[in-house]
Amino acid sequence: MSDTPFGFGLPPEEPDDGDEGKKKDQQSGGGQGPANPFGFGGLPGAGGFGAPGADNPFAAMFGSLNPNDLGAAFQQLGQMLSYEGGPVNWDMAKQIARQTVSQGTADGTKDASVGPAERTAVQEAVRLADLWLDDATSLPSGAGSAVAWSRAEWVEATLPAWKELVDPVAERVGAAMGDVLPEEMQAMAGPLIGMMRSMGGAMFGTQIGQAVGVLAGEVVGSTDIGLPLGPAGKAALLPLNIEAFGKDLGVPQDEVRLYLALREAAHQRLFTHVPWLRSHLFGAVDGYARGIKVDTAKLEDVVGQFDPQNPEQLQDALQQGMFQPEDTPEQKAALARLETALALVEGWVDAVVHAAAKPRLSSADALRETLRRRRASGGPAEQTFATLIGLELRPRRLRDASRLWASLTDARGVDGRDGLWAHPDMLPTASDLDDPDGFVHREQLDFSELDKMLGEAAGGSAGKPDLKKKDADKDDKGDDTE
């Protein structure tokens, strides 16, 4: 488990001198002395209670804070304690994500508005990518529009999807925060439980805001983690991040943009024309999240030592493995379902994009390998899910899935391969990823007789589900042949 939010590093430096002072004081290790009637640990701005003026707790709290720092601290604490919404304070998450984006990435790159030339380049790349994909997949274009986003625009556009992903886990933590009190006290501690849940909402809001803000500096489109995070039917690329991604690859920027546009457009085709896929993926995330148990002992320890001047302590619980999956057959099945579904999506995109790009881009192999290494070394998908719901996506599954889809193309053709997306029960399972050749060469079921019976029962006039493998003889006979 990563020791940084969602597996990513914190912004390289804090925005204000007051925060720098806090960091230095924490490093110097302010202690807790007998003159501390509130029981809080070393507080920022005073060098601990052993420093001059330590007999005055208010001077110790606020002695060296300038008015701006003090106002910000009270504002954050007020937001934390007054929140009465759902399990995550999404207003705080959005605010912190935008602040994180504005600070720039570790290499010093600041966010910037997207200019007309960049928007045009993205639109043309997606348009060309869709033309190339027509030869590589039977699924038609799924991008009704192509847009170029800044990092801040990516944050705004993807927050609704993050809400759907994170709320199930946050709900469990919010309930657990109320359970850390002894049962006999819970009936009398309504306001305290409410405050603790508000703190939990702020804790998640801060954590997610930082993570989404940092992720906005790394992603190149709306589907980097294998899930549709943006609006349906809208292919989106981030020109600033694409430039950073291709900086040291030795590949022309136009080719980098086009290859990434192929991946974005392929994802859009899949999510648009496989209508059950989005709910299947998000349902798998929710099913796995509901099988997670919260380490209430660790949570109780964190809440018991809460320092109002250091709310980051609450976030540490998320970073230190507070979530533990239940060791039950149901939870193992949920984990396998989620990992397999995500691997199948990414594997299909990898195989289809490679088929479209290989004959046309000299850099196709190099770009494919770069993206595979990015995933294997802990890219956005693996890192985000690892801390978000205790799930680590295994790159081996993605490689196996890519090989399986490529083998299916060779054995059954593009239509036979893509026809498996007609229903989730037709897709390969986790065990099939262990034995791709076995799945590819397994004898296919012939649904022709069943289709005929269903057609006769319906009077032969209704359209029939196309579940069977297409073959040349059937195509020659035509759809109206009985």
Side-chain angles (χ1 to χ4, degrees):
M1 183 75 56
S2 174
D3 59 356
T4 52
F6 286 70
F8 301 112
L10 290 171
E13 56 186 35
E14 299 293 329
D16 298 317
D17 291 341
D19 288 338
E20 277 297 327
K22 180 172 74 173
K23 290 164 64 179
K24 293 175 182 177
D25 286 330
Q26 289 172 342
Q27 292 171 358
S28 65
Q32 178 175 329
N36 178 3
F38 298 101
F40 298 143
L43 296 169
F49 281 97
D55 56 340
N56 181 346
F58 295 100
M61 285 185 186
F62 310 124
S64 67
L65 288 177
N66 64 49
N68 290 335
D69 292 330
L70 185 58
F74 274 121
Q75 182 181 20
Q76 184 176 5
L77 188 59
Q79 287 177 337
M80 179 181 292
L81 299 180
S82 64
Y83 177 70
E84 297 180 351
V88 178
N89 188 330
W90 286 103
D91 291 336
M92 179 176 286
K94 178 179 176 180
Q95 176 186 344
I96 290 176
R98 294 294 297 262
Q99 289 173 350
T100 303
V101 164
S102 69
Q103 291 172 1
T105 53
D107 62 2
T109 304
K110 299 287 187 179
D111 193 22
S113 299
V114 179
E118 292 171 317
R119 295 187 188 279
T120 300
V122 165
Q123 290 168 355
E124 291 179 350
V126 172
R127 188 180 302 115
L128 182 57
D130 258 334
L131 288 175
W132 290 4
L133 288 171
D134 284 340
D135 296 332
T137 174
S138 62
L139 299 179
S141 173
S145 61
V147 295
W149 284 340
S150 67
R151 293 166 179 170
E153 288 173 324
W154 183 89
V155 168
E156 295 278 354
T158 62
L159 275 178
W162 288 114
K163 185 177 189 299
E164 192 172 348
L165 286 168
V166 174
D167 274 352
V169 182
E171 191 75 55
R172 295 186 64 81
V173 176
M177 292 190 78
D179 294 340
V180 298
L181 291 176
E183 185 175 353
E184 62 273 10
M185 293 181 59
Q186 290 189 19
M188 301 180 294
L192 179 57
I193 292 176
M195 183 183 72
M196 292 171 66
R197 290 186 173 172
S198 295
M199 287 161 47
M203 174 183 74
F204 261 102
T206 302
Q207 187 82 1
I208 294 162
Q210 289 175 339
V212 171
V214 174
L215 190 59
E218 299 184 3
V219 295
V220 295
S222 70
T223 55
D224 275 28
I225 70 167
L227 293 172
L229 296 179
K234 183 174 288 188
L237 295 176
L238 283 72
L240 185 62
N241 292 355
I242 291 175
E243 182 180 356
F245 172 81
K247 184 177 180 182
D248 300 320
L249 297 181
V251 177
Q253 190 70 18
D254 288 346
E255 290 194 20
V256 174
R257 184 191 304 112
L258 183 51
Y259 191 87
L260 297 175
L262 281 165
R263 289 184 53 82
E264 179 73 11
H267 276 104
Q268 293 296 334
R269 289 184 180 226
L270 197 58
F271 291 128
T272 299
H273 297 292
V274 182
W276 54 265
L277 183 57
R278 187 186 190 279
S279 59
H280 179 75
L281 287 168
F282 279 69
V285 173
D286 181 73
Y288 182 78
R290 292 187 186 282
I292 288 174
K293 61 183 178 181
V294 179
D295 187 345
T296 54
K298 181 175 293 185
L299 181 61
E300 184 176 359
D301 182 62
V302 171
V303 172
Q305 298 180 15
F306 173 60
D307 176 358
Q309 290 292 320
N310 188 19
E312 291 83 359
Q313 287 179 347
L314 288 175
Q315 300 170 32
D316 292 342
L318 286 179
Q319 304 167 19
Q320 297 172 1
M322 188 174 68
F323 301 132
Q324 302 171 354
E326 296 278 6
D327 189 20
T328 63
E330 292 79 12
Q331 180 66 354
K332 290 177 180 177
L335 173 61
R337 185 166 73 103
L338 177 55
E339 285 186 329
T340 303
L342 289 168
L344 290 174
V345 168
E346 286 300 283
W348 183 88
V349 168
D350 180 80
V352 167
V353 167
H354 184 69
K358 176 68 172 175
R360 299 176 174 95
L361 290 179
S362 60
S363 57
D365 288 334
L367 289 169
R368 185 190 201 189
E369 184 60 28
T370 298
L371 286 164
R372 284 183 164 184
R373 287 201 306 268
R374 189 181 187 220
R375 291 198 300 261
S377 62
E382 293 81 18
Q383 298 285 7
T384 299
F385 279 95
T387 304
L388 180 62
I389 56 175
L391 170 66
E392 297 220 20
L393 298 180
R394 293 170 292 171
R396 178 179 65 84
R397 298 284 81 184
L398 303 179
R399 291 195 296 271
D400 288 346
S402 180
R403 285 198 300 270
L404 186 148
W405 288 118
S407 298
L408 281 168
T409 307
D410 294 337
R412 306 183 187 180
V414 169
D415 288 347
R417 177 200 66 198
D418 294 346
L420 294 177
W421 290 106
H423 192 277
D425 290 345
M426 299 176 67
L427 290 175
T429 63
S431 60
D432 293 326
L433 293 181
D434 294 329
D435 181 22
D437 290 338
F439 179 83
V440 170
H441 299 294
R442 186 180 305 158
E443 183 177 354
Q444 293 178 259
L445 296 176
D446 184 0
F447 290 97
S448 58
E449 290 301 317
L450 177 59
D451 279 353
K452 184 177 180 180
M453 292 171 61
L454 291 174
E456 291 173 351
S461 58
K464 299 188 276 285
D466 184 20
L467 297 177
K468 57 184 177 296
K469 175 186 175 184
K470 296 181 181 179
D471 58 56
D473 293 337
K474 183 66 178 177
D475 291 340
D476 291 340
K477 291 179 181 179
D479 294 337
D480 296 331
T481 303
E482 288 294 327

